[in-house]
Amino acid sequence: MAIGNAIKQSANTMTNQVNLLFFGQLKERLQCENYNIEIQHPLSIEQLKAYLVSLEPTWQVALNDNLLIAAVNQQIAQQHAIVKGGDEVAFFPPVTGG
Amino acid sequence: MTIEITISHDDFDIGALHHALQIGNVQQGAVVTFTGLVREFSHGDNVVALELEHYPQMTEQLLLTIAQQAQQRWQLGRISIYHRIGYLPLGEQIVFVGVTAKHRQSAFDGAQFIMDYLKTQATFWKKEHFSHTSQWVEFKASDLQAQQKWR
């Protein structure tokens, strides 16, 4: 039974968990580079940010920076893009490499 | 047609990278390379080092896409992109872009296109360290303008 439970839990995790990554200055402002949340249904990037702020109120200003870029599963995504369980979502400031 | 992309903490050898573009490559008569270095002066203070971080996987994929676009647009032969990450003291090499083409103009344009897109699209972030403070580098509008001229 223990094995059955473990499998069920891992399937659940795959469906509901969203892995969030933060880079550059944003990572320092949030003091966080990796954050896992569970979502009950798909959310837009905008809704995801609002949900994150409800969990971490001190992130409000940094997450609402207009210059922030979002990526879903390593593809640049707009505010209305949909995030579902199992996705990797990254937020970062404009890039400055080279 | 080959594309080599490396992201590493380790330094690179320009001679070796140039050699790899050139060796046995009799179809192409032009090799153009660019090397970016950590420079001293920024915002009125002396830079001691740069710190570079990136978004693994996404960066590689973006660089590959940029290289493929350049390859198709200018019929480039070989492309080599090497970008360093981590703590890079003053004078260190940061980035290398090298391309080959039949003629020089395609090679110049292709290399410049890759650098302009790399600076505005590839997921790297740079922090400048001064003697007592540090500061994340701000995105420059001039870099975006340089990229937009290729549209």
Side-chain angles (χ1 to χ4, degrees):
Chain A
M1 285 315 284
I3 290 168
N5 281 340
I7 288 166
K8 195 175 168 193
Q9 177 140 26
S10 108
N12 253 347
T13 304
M14 280 179 66
T15 346
N16 295 334
Q17 282 237 334
V18 173
N19 184 29
L20 292 155
L21 302 170
F22 307 110
F23 292 98
Q25 189 169 23
L26 181 67
K27 181 180 78 179
E28 280 189 1
R29 289 178 77 182
L30 304 182
Q31 296 179 305
C32 178
E33 61 181 307
N34 193 341
Y35 196 86
N36 281 293
I37 56 168
E38 291 209 355
I39 57 173
Q40 298 311 315
H41 49 81
L43 297 175
S44 69
I45 294 282
E46 215 164 6
Q47 291 168 328
L48 181 73
K49 276 191 200 174
Y51 180 46
L52 268 176
V53 169
S54 75
L55 298 172
E56 300 286 346
T58 57
W59 290 4
Q60 181 165 16
V61 175
L63 280 181
N64 285 304
D65 185 332
N66 283 334
L67 292 175
L68 270 199
I69 298 163
V72 177
N73 298 327
Q74 300 168 9
Q75 302 280 335
I76 299 296
Q78 304 305 316
Q79 293 299 309
H80 56 264
I82 298 298
V83 176
K84 49 193 191 322
D87 284 346
E88 176 178 286
V89 179
F91 290 104
F92 44 82
V95 301
T96 54
Chain B
M1 301 215 302
T2 56
I3 297 175
E4 283 288 331
I5 291 168
T6 308
I7 297 169
S8 173
H9 283 86
D10 300 331
D11 198 8
F12 51 82
D13 175 354
I14 299 173
L17 292 171
H18 195 285
H19 183 69
L21 290 167
Q22 206 180 330
I23 184 81
N25 191 359
V26 291
Q27 294 88 22
Q28 269 110 24
V31 181
V32 164
T33 70
F34 170 84
T35 309
L37 310 173
V38 181
R39 71 165 185 276
E40 189 174 34
F41 199 65
S42 173
H43 301 109
D45 205 345
N46 288 328
V47 172
V48 176
L50 285 184
E51 197 176 337
L52 270 141
E53 69 169 53
H54 78 129
Y55 182 178
Q57 291 108 45
M58 185 163 178
T59 316
E60 281 90 342
Q61 189 51 52
L62 285 166
L63 291 178
L64 182 63
T65 304
I66 294 166
Q68 285 168 338
Q69 285 170 353
Q71 198 166 47
Q72 282 166 19
R73 186 159 166 181
W74 286 281
Q75 306 298 309
L76 303 179
R78 298 179 187 176
I79 299 176
S80 175
I81 303 175
Y82 194 117
H83 205 300
R84 292 178 70 196
I85 48 170
Y87 190 85
L88 304 177
L90 191 64
E92 288 281 305
Q93 304 183 130
I94 307 168
V95 60
F96 173 92
V97 167
V99 309
T100 72
K102 278 196 175 130
H103 305 289
R104 71 180 185 284
Q105 196 57 51
S106 300
F108 277 125
D109 288 349
Q112 201 172 348
F113 173 95
I114 292 171
M115 270 312 298
D116 287 343
Y117 271 77
L118 182 154
K119 284 194 85 87
T120 50
Q121 295 195 343
T123 41
F124 291 100
W125 298 274
K126 216 182 253 166
K127 193 177 192 179
E128 288 171 330
H129 288 272
F130 307 102
S131 45
H132 298 293
T133 57
S134 62
Q135 177 183 318
W136 288 95
V137 173
E138 298 271 329
F139 176 77
K140 292 182 197 72
S142 58
D143 287 336
L144 191 60
Q145 283 159 11
Q147 182 226 290
Q148 283 168 344
K149 74 171 180 276
W150 296 107
R151 284 188 179 169

